[in-house]
Amino acid sequence: MQRRDEPRSGTKVLALMVLASLAVITLDARGGGSPVDPARAVVGTVVGPIETVANGAARPFRSVAETLQSNNSLRQDVATLQSQNSGLRSRLATGSVDRNRLAEYDGLVRTAHDTGYALVPAHVVGIGPAQSFSRTVTIDAGMSSGVRPDSTVVSRDGLVGRVIRADRTTATVLLIIDADSVVGGRLGSTMKIGFIRGRGATGEKGRLDLALVDNAASPSRDDVVVSWGSGKGGPYVAGIPIGRVTSVYSSPRQLSKQAVIAPFVDFSALDLVGVVVPAGTQGDRKVIRADGKIK
């Protein structure tokens, strides 16, 4: 019999607890002296210091997390700035090269316009070995661009040389300062002609020697010398500036006076050159036409 009454007793106890809770909530909501105030005070007294200590203990960890996040952001900003600075330094370092190449290209356009010759632009990409005792350079334009052996090569400053070999994409140029180079030259003041030979040296020692055909003619100091041309077969077209007379000399074995020529072209700093090609040439590269236009 006692076991049958146990569920009813449990239900009664639960109902009493619910009623008591409702009564406490009602009294607490009315304000004034709440029966739970003493319990709240005890909880605040005990738990408050614990929360303060816990917050103080957790603050360094939160600070570390915030610091790490801030450091990551700063590192990203620094990496971005370093990348931007590197790009700026690269552009600054190559700026002078780009300006020089643009000036050289503009000079080739003027040369084509002034001389009436069509030019294929090309860059010097190699220099002949010193062991060969020849002064040659390799350019990055070949037969696919209309370049052929015995084509005249110029720069914005004057005559460079002639093509001696050409394949599909490159060509070898014999410079006029080479000891085996012979160029027909003409004095600008008297139109007297002669032959110009190289000495095989570059830089300040890169001089040329002019021997006039007329033994009675005497070159004048500072006179300008230009090429007088080799006919349609090349290798040199007419009217290209070569250099300026710096001195005149003679020897007992020579009937005519000789002139030393300082070339206009700096052969130790060759970069952009132009190869003279027939008008209307079409190939892999655009051609600077005689009227200065690019086709």
Side-chain angles (χ1 to χ4, degrees), residues 230-245:
S230 309
K232 294 183 179 180
Y236 298 106
V237 296
I240 304 299
I242 297 176
R244 190 181 302 275
V245 176

Side-chain angles (χ1 to χ4, degrees), residues 47-69:
V47 177
I50 295 175
E51 290 180 348
T52 302
V53 173
N55 287 333
R59 187 176 297 111
F61 295 99
R62 290 196 299 268
S63 178
V64 169
E66 293 174 355
T67 301
L68 290 176
Q69 184 177 2

